[in-house]
Amino acid sequence: NRFYYRSDHYHFAKNDIPIIFYFNGVHEDYHRHTDTPDKIEYDLLAKRAKLIFLTAWEVANRDERPFVDKPTLTEASN
């Protein structure tokens, strides 16, 4: 399904801008009209939201900026 390549994240990553791609997979109703709020597991959603917040907090409060460990662009293309 190439979820990563279809995401907004991909366009940042391919330009060597650090990203984090959170994805919990698909289910039978994924992106269908039958995917209704009553199917949300709110306890799990809260855990994921906390993980994302704490990750962002950690990154934002580091002394050094994140870096790309395997850059795709060369110095010549910058």
Side-chain angles (χ1 to χ4, degrees):
N1 288 322
R2 299 178 54 88
F3 293 111
Y4 173 70
Y5 297 99
R6 294 181 356 211
S7 76
D8 296 336
H9 301 76
Y10 174 71
H11 298 284
F12 290 96
K14 76 176 187 177
N15 288 295
D16 293 337
I17 298 169
I19 60 100
I20 299 174
F21 182 67
Y22 292 98
F23 183 68
N24 67 322
V26 297
H27 50 81
E28 186 176 321
D29 297 309
Y30 185 73
H31 281 212
R32 296 184 180 188
H33 71 281
T34 53
D35 193 1
T36 54
D38 60 298
K39 296 176 183 162
I40 296 172
E41 297 179 44
Y42 287 97
D43 290 344
L44 189 53
L45 175 63
K47 285 182 180 181
R48 289 182 181 137
K50 287 177 185 176
L51 170 65
I52 293 167
F53 172 82
L54 292 171
T55 302
W57 184 270
E58 172 66 28
V59 170
N61 288 290
R62 286 187 172 191
D63 291 333
E64 297 193 17
R65 296 177 63 181
F67 66 94
V68 177
D69 58 348
K70 296 180 182 178
T72 56
L73 301 176
T74 64
E75 291 296 320
S77 65
N78 288 331

